[in-house]
Amino acid sequence: MLTNIGFIIGIALMYAAPLMFTAMGGVISEKSGVINIGLEGMMYLGAFIGAAVGYYSGNPWIAFLAAGFASGLLGLLHAVASVSFDGNQTISGFAINFIGPGIALFLSRLMFNGATMTKPIPMEGKMPKPFKGILGSLSLENTFAAQILNQYATVYLAFILIFIVWFIFYKTRFGLRIRAVGEHPRAADTLGINVFALRYICVTLSGVFAGFGGASMSLAVVSLFSPTLISGQGYIALAAMIFGNWRPRGIMWGCLLFGAAEGLAVYMGGRTNVVVPTQVLSMLPYIITLLVLVLFIRKSNAPAADGVPYEKSSSNLI
């Protein structure tokens, strides 16, 4: 029984890590006042770049960083449309959700002989498991602790990123400026804070983090890229952000909740005698997403200037 619980927790952590990366991207963008619903497309591109670079280079860390860089460019594109040209942020995000998969599938066909999925990543190209050797030397491979601790490096990086984002938001001057720009951009501008520059930085970083989330899927959870790999994960990350009330700690629990739904689905699909249709198991994470949105969206308070383009008043121009 304890081993089965450990199995569910282990799967939950593995699937929660990509959501944590992506949700941190969403929150850093929205804390600065820019809605980013293009996280799905950014994850999609990050997943492909991670798998492709991992396959050709055999180095997961180079692949991971390349995925963040590529998706960061999509974040920059969203910043140009939303910040510089005062475009509708929701429409821009939807466009990113089409552009990301389009680029990924085009490059996949170009690089893999017309295939829309990459070849399997060699073992040396996958993310390492930091505690695998230690657990093996102690003969703890199948214990409850091993089920939880024997995780890919991306899981530990995701928790570290949550702490870093929390620390920046609430313990640094830079984080205070981000929150000021997202709540009262005109007041922040009068105090000498460059609203446009901060929003550019945050929206671009949101793309980088979403790319890390996509790469976590293709370099850790699975070992290749396929057109169905990122199937609503970006939207689930947005739901986790709403569930967590735009706070890193709350978002972490939201991602773990969705990860637990995935872990339960995997457990019921292969490690129990209870017969549950696979279609129902596949729907479980999305059903929980809908329930979370229905139950918590009214209790969540987005930054006051979230989604509102900022126009510098003539009185502030030099």
Side-chain angles (χ1 to χ4, degrees):
M1 180 64 180
L2 198 59
T3 303
N4 290 333
I5 295 175
F7 173 81
I8 295 173
I9 295 174
I11 295 295
L13 291 172
M14 183 174 66
Y15 277 96
L19 299 178
M20 289 181 188
F21 280 114
T22 308
M24 286 302 101
V27 76
I28 199 169
S29 175
E30 299 211 6
K31 279 288 190 180
S32 72
V34 178
I35 294 175
N36 187 0
I37 64 170
L39 297 174
E40 177 88 359
M42 296 172 184
M43 277 191 81
Y44 209 106
L45 182 61
F48 168 74
I49 295 297
V53 176
Y55 173 78
Y56 284 111
S57 71
N59 189 314
W61 298 110
I62 292 177
F64 191 70
L65 293 175
F69 177 79
S71 296
L73 294 179
L74 285 183
L76 180 61
L77 179 62
H78 183 47
V80 170
S82 302
V83 180
S84 293
F85 293 99
D86 296 335
N88 186 293
Q89 297 170 11
T90 302
I91 293 176
S92 176
F94 270 117
I96 295 294
N97 285 335
F98 287 103
I99 293 172
I103 294 175
L105 294 176
F106 172 75
L107 292 177
S108 183
R109 291 191 178 99
L110 193 66
M111 298 169 65
F112 295 94
N113 298 322
T116 56
M117 60 187 293
T118 66
K119 296 179 180 179
I121 302 170
M123 284 304 297
E124 62 271 15
K126 284 178 66 73
M127 276 290 171
K129 293 184 176 182
F131 293 103
K132 184 176 182 179
I134 298 174
L135 293 170
S137 64
L138 297 175
S139 300
L140 298 175
E141 294 95 332
N142 299 316
T143 62
F144 175 77
Q147 297 279 8
I148 298 174
L149 294 176
N150 192 22
Q151 299 290 335
Y152 291 102
T154 49
V155 174
Y156 299 100
L157 289 175
F159 281 101
I160 292 171
L161 179 63
I162 286 176
F163 173 77
I164 290 174
V165 172
W166 170 84
F167 185 83
I168 289 174
F169 278 165
Y170 302 109
K171 301 296 181 181
T172 68
R173 180 179 298 178
F174 181 66
L176 179 61
R177 290 182 175 184
I178 292 175
R179 289 185 288 130
V181 165
E183 293 287 347
H184 304 287
R186 195 163 302 283
D189 193 6
T190 59
L191 294 174
I193 298 174
N194 192 324
V195 176
F196 297 128
L198 268 181
R199 288 188 170 181
Y200 258 91
I201 291 170
C202 292
V203 178
T204 303
L205 279 177
S206 74
V208 173
F209 293 162
F212 289 161
S216 297
M217 289 293 294
S218 60
L219 291 171
V221 178
V222 299
S223 59
L224 51 76
F225 166 81
S226 69
T228 59
L229 179 60
I230 308 297
S231 51
Q233 298 294 309
Y235 297 113
I236 292 177
L238 284 173
M241 183 180 67
I242 295 172
F243 172 86
N245 200 19
W246 285 266
R247 294 178 179 272
R249 185 172 61 180
I251 292 170
M252 177 190 71
W253 290 114
C255 292
L256 289 173
L257 172 65
F258 295 120
E262 195 70 48
L264 186 61
V266 172
Y267 173 75
M268 295 180 67
R271 294 175 65 111
T272 180
N273 295 326
V274 179
V275 179
V276 181
T278 56
Q279 294 85 351
V280 175
L281 294 176
S282 300
M283 289 168 57
L284 187 58
Y286 305 102
I287 292 173
I288 290 180
T289 301
L290 291 174
L291 290 175
V292 165
L293 289 175
V294 170
L295 295 174
F296 291 95
I297 193 167
R298 293 184 179 179
K299 299 178 182 178
S300 299
N301 298 308
D306 196 18
V308 181
Y310 177 66
E311 297 181 3
K312 200 176 183 70
S313 63
S314 57
S315 60
N316 290 333
L317 295 176
I318 297 176

